[in-house]
Amino acid sequence: ELELEVLRDTRNRTIRALCGQRSMPRSVWELPPGQRRTVLRHLLVSDKYRFLYCYVPKVACSNWKRVLKVLDGALESVDVKGKMDHMSDLMFLGDMKPEEISYRLKHYYKFIFVRNPVERLLSAYRNKFGEIKAYQQKYGVEIVRRYRKNGGNSAGDDVTFSEFLQYLLDEDVERMNEHWMPIYNLCQPCAVRYDFIGSYERLHADANHVLEHIQSPSFVRFPERQAWYKPVTAETLHYYLCNTPRRLIKELLPKYILDFSLFAYPLPNITSEFCRQ
């Protein structure tokens, strides 16, 4: 518990220090229209329990959406089997009028869940290019065509992690798909003052903290991880980091540096010594 308090304290102090700089936005209305649209599209609203949750893909957001639907009465239980519909029966802050947005940002409890940026990218890569045809066809085919000699015949299901990182390196952050857009750009923690920042590493303890705070009914609990889910283990991370050109990882870090610094995550260890282990 003490360790958790220290981490939270570090996170909060870092956010205050970085967000206190003059160049940082102080409210969503100070953001350029495109950035404002992105964050308002990721803030889910519960008027009944008076909270805003900024969802981050690959950080247990499907389970949080289940919880929201149960709290709203649109879903019977968090354990209902079936594919998650990420749009229906959910209320987005971006669909509201400016004065309604301002009221909720000022008066509602606001929370977000974060994850180690490299683990999140690896999770997105394995899920989208290893399992989902739509992503293989929409992004995979293009990535292989762009970064591989004679890659024109690929179905997009054999994208390498290095090719994926090279693609991210060449992508404009503002135009990225939400599954690999930096958390900073999705949720704008300087423009939105979050009351609680939970982490994927302490998912259930932090989720219970939020549920307690919003006074959700006792029958609503955070769901267990789906049986089909393939977690990113330390071994998996080690394998991918150590089999990827170091240059690529180093060049990509600046794009995600605010996620590392604001949320107190260490930069990835890609030393020869670490990779020999």
Side-chain angles (χ1 to χ4, degrees):
E1 283 304 308
L2 181 63
E3 200 179 309
L4 179 64
E5 284 308 313
V6 170
L7 176 62
R8 276 200 197 128
D9 192 44
T10 306
R11 228 168 234 173
N12 291 338
R13 270 184 294 135
T14 311
I15 288 172
R16 275 200 302 274
L18 278 169
C19 293
Q21 292 171 18
R22 200 174 298 166
S23 59
M24 292 301 206
R26 300 295 168 92
S27 85
V28 295
W29 308 115
E30 287 182 19
L31 295 168
Q35 291 181 22
R36 188 187 315 134
R37 237 185 341 267
T38 297
V39 66
L40 293 179
R41 212 170 49 221
H42 284 82
L43 280 162
L44 288 163
V45 183
S46 170
D47 279 337
K48 189 175 177 184
Y49 290 90
R50 294 175 67 84
F51 70 77
L52 300 176
Y53 157 59
C54 187
Y55 81 86
V56 178
K58 308 314 297 174
V59 191
C61 79
S62 296
N63 278 344
W64 269 115
K65 287 174 180 176
R66 278 178 211 279
V67 169
L68 260 85
K69 290 186 184 200
V70 172
L71 288 173
D72 206 40
L75 199 62
E76 203 176 299
S77 153
V78 292
D79 299 319
V80 169
K81 295 284 178 276
K83 197 160 164 45
M84 178 71 203
D85 186 326
H86 287 265
M87 298 307 285
S88 73
D89 301 316
L90 292 166
M91 193 157 41
F92 296 84
L93 197 59
D95 293 333
M96 297 182 168
K97 298 188 180 99
E99 62 274 18
E100 295 173 328
I101 291 170
S102 291
Y103 176 83
R104 284 161 180 78
L105 283 168
K106 188 176 179 185
H107 296 287
Y108 281 18
Y109 179 71
K110 298 173 287 295
F111 70 94
I112 173 184
F113 272 70
V114 299
R115 183 179 189 178
N116 179 305
V118 183
E119 283 189 23
R120 181 174 165 248
L121 285 181
L122 182 51
S123 177
Y125 162 76
R126 291 168 82 211
N127 172 235
K128 299 304 169 198
F129 299 107
E131 300 167 7
I132 299 179
K133 212 165 197 66
Y135 274 79
Q136 293 166 1
Q137 290 169 346
K138 183 174 180 182
Y139 295 98
V141 170
E142 171 62 19
I143 290 171
V144 173
R145 191 188 62 72
R146 210 190 285 183
Y147 300 111
R148 194 184 301 172
K149 264 188 184 157
N150 310 318
N153 299 325
S154 169
D157 57 354
D158 60 345
V159 176
T160 67
F161 190 54
S162 297
E163 287 167 341
F164 175 56
L165 295 191
Q166 184 62 58
Y167 163 73
L168 295 180
L169 200 52
D170 294 339
E171 271 289 273
D172 173 13
V173 165
E174 300 295 331
R175 300 162 68 101
M176 281 182 179
N177 177 282
E178 61 175 14
H179 290 84
W180 41 81
M181 185 183 275
I183 298 172
Y184 178 85
N185 298 79
L186 289 172
C187 293
Q188 295 290 345
C190 291
V192 178
R193 298 299 169 96
Y194 291 98
D195 299 290
F196 183 76
I197 297 172
S199 71
Y200 189 79
E201 295 74 27
R202 286 195 44 99
L203 183 56
H204 278 273
D206 284 354
N208 288 337
H209 173 89
V210 170
L211 292 173
E212 214 171 282
H213 186 92
I214 62 170
Q215 299 183 323
S216 82
S218 55
F219 71 86
V220 178
R221 50 173 184 72
F222 197 75
E224 292 302 319
R225 185 186 277 155
Q226 274 78 17
W228 48 261
Y229 182 76
K230 286 193 216 137
V232 172
T233 62
E235 293 74 32
T236 314
L237 191 62
H238 183 281
Y239 172 82
Y240 278 96
L241 282 178
C242 294
N243 286 284
T244 300
R246 241 177 260 180
R247 170 196 65 83
L248 261 183
I249 296 168
K250 281 182 178 163
E251 285 179 16
L252 188 62
L253 290 180
K255 278 197 164 159
Y256 293 87
I257 201 67
L258 283 171
D259 285 4
F260 283 105
S261 51
L262 280 172
F263 308 127
Y265 284 110
L267 292 175
N269 187 350
I270 47 172
T271 59
S272 308
E273 190 184 354
F274 171 71
C275 287
R276 272 198 301 269
Q277 288 171 11

